[in-house]
């Protein structure tokens, strides 16, 4: 049989609401508004003595946001996944690649002639 819910479950008799007197005084705060390139505004509260960051990630879209409403930071470009071949082509010219290929083929042909080829 399901038990009935009680609004005071887990509470002791005479317990009142948690107020400022029990928790202490809240630290003084400053509210900073950040703007992203999709016109989202995010209000973040920082302690007065805290170092306020120049940028903040927008909680709605995840784009970077700044305090400058007229010039929000642009969206980051997502680079597509690069294959190993793409990285090699960045490092080597076509002439270098041709030389390396010819060297590897000559080494392979020499092994084939001598019978040292291992599969």
């Amino acid at each position: 049989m399901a038990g009935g819910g009680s609004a005071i479950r887990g509470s002791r008799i005479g317990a009142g609401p948690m107020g400022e007197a029990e928790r202490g005084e809240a630290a003084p705060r400053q509210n900073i508004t950040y703007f992203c390139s999709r016109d989202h505004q995010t209000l973040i509260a920082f302690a007065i003595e805290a170092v306020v960051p120049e940028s903040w990630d927008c909680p709605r879209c995840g784009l970077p946001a700044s305090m400058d409403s007229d010039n929000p930071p642009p969206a980051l470009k997502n680079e597509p996944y690069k294959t190993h071949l793409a990285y090699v082509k960045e490092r080597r010219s076509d002439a270098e690649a041709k030389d390396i290929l010819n060297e590897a083929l000559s080494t392979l042909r020499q092994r084939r002639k001598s019978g040292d080829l291992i599969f």
Side-chain angles (χ1 to χ4, degrees):
M1 182 162 183
S6 173
I8 60 170
R9 178 176 289 168
S11 179
R12 70 185 200 294
I13 295 176
M18 291 285 288
E20 288 295 323
E22 291 183 28
R23 285 188 285 185
E25 293 295 319
R29 302 195 181 271
Q30 59 180 329
N31 292 320
I32 305 294
T33 304
Y34 290 93
F35 304 90
C36 76
S37 59
R38 291 191 180 158
D39 295 328
H40 297 144
Q41 293 182 18
T42 304
L43 184 68
I44 306 291
F46 292 98
I48 294 289
E49 63 271 357
V51 176
V52 177
E54 291 292 320
S55 65
W56 194 266
D57 290 340
C58 177
R60 284 186 174 172
C61 62
L63 292 177
S66 70
M67 294 179 270
D68 187 2
S69 63
D70 296 330
N71 297 315
L76 300 174
K77 286 187 176 181
N78 282 341
E79 294 287 331
Y81 173 77
K82 287 186 182 180
T83 63
H84 176 70
L85 180 59
Y87 284 110
V88 170
K89 286 183 177 182
E90 285 180 358
R91 294 191 314 264
R92 307 260 188 229
S93 68
D94 289 340
E96 288 176 317
K98 198 173 206 178
D99 291 342
I100 292 170
L101 177 62
N102 287 334
E103 184 181 326
L105 287 174
S106 67
T107 304
L108 184 63
R109 288 180 183 129
Q110 287 175 356
R111 283 186 186 171
R112 200 176 272 176
K113 286 180 186 175
S114 66
D116 293 342
L117 199 62
I118 301 173
F119 290 98

